Amino acid sequence: MGNERSVNDHESAVVIEVNSQPSIPHSIDDGFPRRLSKVVKNSGKSLRQFAIEAGISDSILRKYLAGTSDPGRKNLISISEVGRVSIEYLATGAEHLAIGTVSPKEYVPIPMLNLEQFTNFGKNVGHEFPEESPFSFHREWIDRLSLHRERTLEIIITPNDNMAPTLCKGDWMLVDRSATTLRNGVLYVFAFAQEKVVDVRRALLSEDGGCCLLKVDHNPNMDQLFKLDDKGIPKILGEVVWVGRVMTGVYR
């Protein structure tokens, strides 16, 4: 059946690459359908779309998921590329086989937000900003936080201590750029056009939902009250969903 192989040919179907690095002993298990189901779900794609991108029919993919057929080498490679997981994980369940190596497909690199489009922000906070983010997050961690739209996540460095102790200057913020609907008590990154700065505020909504207080935790004198239909309200760049602190003070 073309590139397809029967369940009995499973072992020969997964022996596709040999490298010179020592491998951790492992045995091939029978959990391929379960792992494949997890990979398709975590991809955020429909079963049909996943099959199209992998270059196989959705009926064949359903057979893989049902455990009535196993993929040959070509299709296994295609599935791993679309699902962005290692071939070893699909075939054996092992996260990584070679000692000291980790599959880069298991991690999502998060870019730095380009602030030049909003302000001259980087010039007035006292330190240089890296051009590229050093952060990559494991896909399962992103999934646990329900951050399925990973392409909307970006990193911003906290510019000051206005939101201390929650946020301090130099903290790394993971911001969901797709979250632009204000929720009460949540931290958001705003672009203030008049002041030409980007900064963090806590959104406090009125009971009737018509007004929002942009609260500065460390300096109440900087609090600003806006009507939600006011055209002058600062641009919402996204919701702060995670914070990492550099304890050595490199960026402080």
Side-chain angles (χ1 to χ4, degrees), residues 3 15 21 84 97 206:
N3 288 318
V15 181
Q21 294 177 298
R84 300 181 68 179
L97 299 183
S206 61

Side-chain angles (χ1 to χ4, degrees), residues 4-5 42-43 57 78 87 92 99 102 105 118 143 152 159 171 176 190 193 200 207-208 218:
E4 307 310 313
R5 305 190 184 190
N42 288 349
S43 73
S57 67
S78 296
I87 297 171
T92 70
I99 295 175
V102 178
K105 293 182 180 180
F118 306 109
D143 186 58
T152 68
D171 288 351
D176 183 356
F190 294 89
V200 186
E207 291 186 4
D208 61 7
H218 196 63

Side-chain angles (χ1 to χ4, degrees), residues 158-227:
T158 307
N160 50 50
D161 290 321
N162 287 341
M163 298 302 294
T166 304
L167 289 172
C168 296
K169 181 178 178 180
D171 288 351
W172 297 74
M173 297 179 289
L174 182 62
V175 178
D176 183 356
R177 295 295 308 282
S178 69
T180 56
T181 300
L182 295 177
R183 297 186 294 129
N184 194 42
V186 176
L187 297 179
Y188 293 87
V189 177
F190 294 89
F192 295 83
Q194 185 173 356
E195 296 86 351
K196 295 184 178 181
V197 296
V198 169
D199 213 342
V200 186
R201 297 290 188 271
R202 189 182 304 279
L204 298 179
L205 303 177
S206 61
E207 291 186 4
D208 61 7
C211 296
C212 178
L213 177 69
L214 302 186
K215 183 170 180 54
V216 180
D217 290 358
H218 196 63
N219 187 356
N221 293 328
M222 296 177 63
D223 292 353
Q224 295 171 283
L225 182 65
F226 292 92
K227 291 184 177 180

Side-chain angles (χ1 to χ4, degrees), residues 58-222:
D58 54 352
S59 62
I60 290 295
L61 184 57
R62 292 181 190 278
K63 288 183 179 181
Y64 296 162
L65 290 167
T68 58
S69 179
D70 274 356
R73 179 174 64 181
K74 180 180 177 181
N75 285 355
L76 192 66
I77 293 173
S78 296
I79 291 171
S80 73
E81 291 176 347
V82 176
R84 300 181 68 179
V85 296
S86 67
I87 297 171
E88 290 87 352
Y89 170 74
L90 281 172
T92 70
E95 289 292 340
H96 53 89
L97 299 183
I99 295 175
T101 64
V102 178
S103 171
K105 293 182 180 180
E106 301 288 341
Y107 290 83
V108 181
I110 305 297
M112 298 290 294
L113 174 63
N114 178 13
L115 296 169
E116 292 181 359
Q117 57 187 310
F118 306 109
T119 177
N120 59 353
F121 174 61
K123 299 178 181 178
N124 57 16
V125 295
H127 57 67
E128 294 287 334
F129 287 87
E131 295 183 359
E132 297 184 1
S133 170
F135 281 105
S136 291
F137 294 85
H138 200 283
R139 290 186 176 280
E140 290 190 2
W141 182 84
I142 289 179
D143 186 58
R144 284 200 299 270
L145 290 184
S146 299
L147 303 176
H148 303 296
R149 300 175 64 181
E150 62 192 44
R151 293 183 181 178
T152 68
L153 299 176
E154 293 183 299
I155 292 285
I156 303 178
I157 301 177
T158 307
N160 50 50
D161 290 321
N162 287 341
M163 298 302 294
T166 304
L167 289 172
C168 296
K169 181 178 178 180
D171 288 351
W172 297 74
M173 297 179 289
L174 182 62
V175 178
D176 183 356
R177 295 295 308 282
S178 69
T180 56
T181 300
L182 295 177
R183 297 186 294 129
N184 194 42
V186 176
L187 297 179
Y188 293 87
V189 177
F190 294 89
F192 295 83
Q194 185 173 356
E195 296 86 351
K196 295 184 178 181
V197 296
V198 169
D199 213 342
V200 186
R201 297 290 188 271
R202 189 182 304 279
L204 298 179
L205 303 177
S206 61
E207 291 186 4
D208 61 7
C211 296
C212 178
L213 177 69
L214 302 186
K215 183 170 180 54
V216 180
D217 290 358
H218 196 63
N219 187 356
N221 293 328
M222 296 177 63

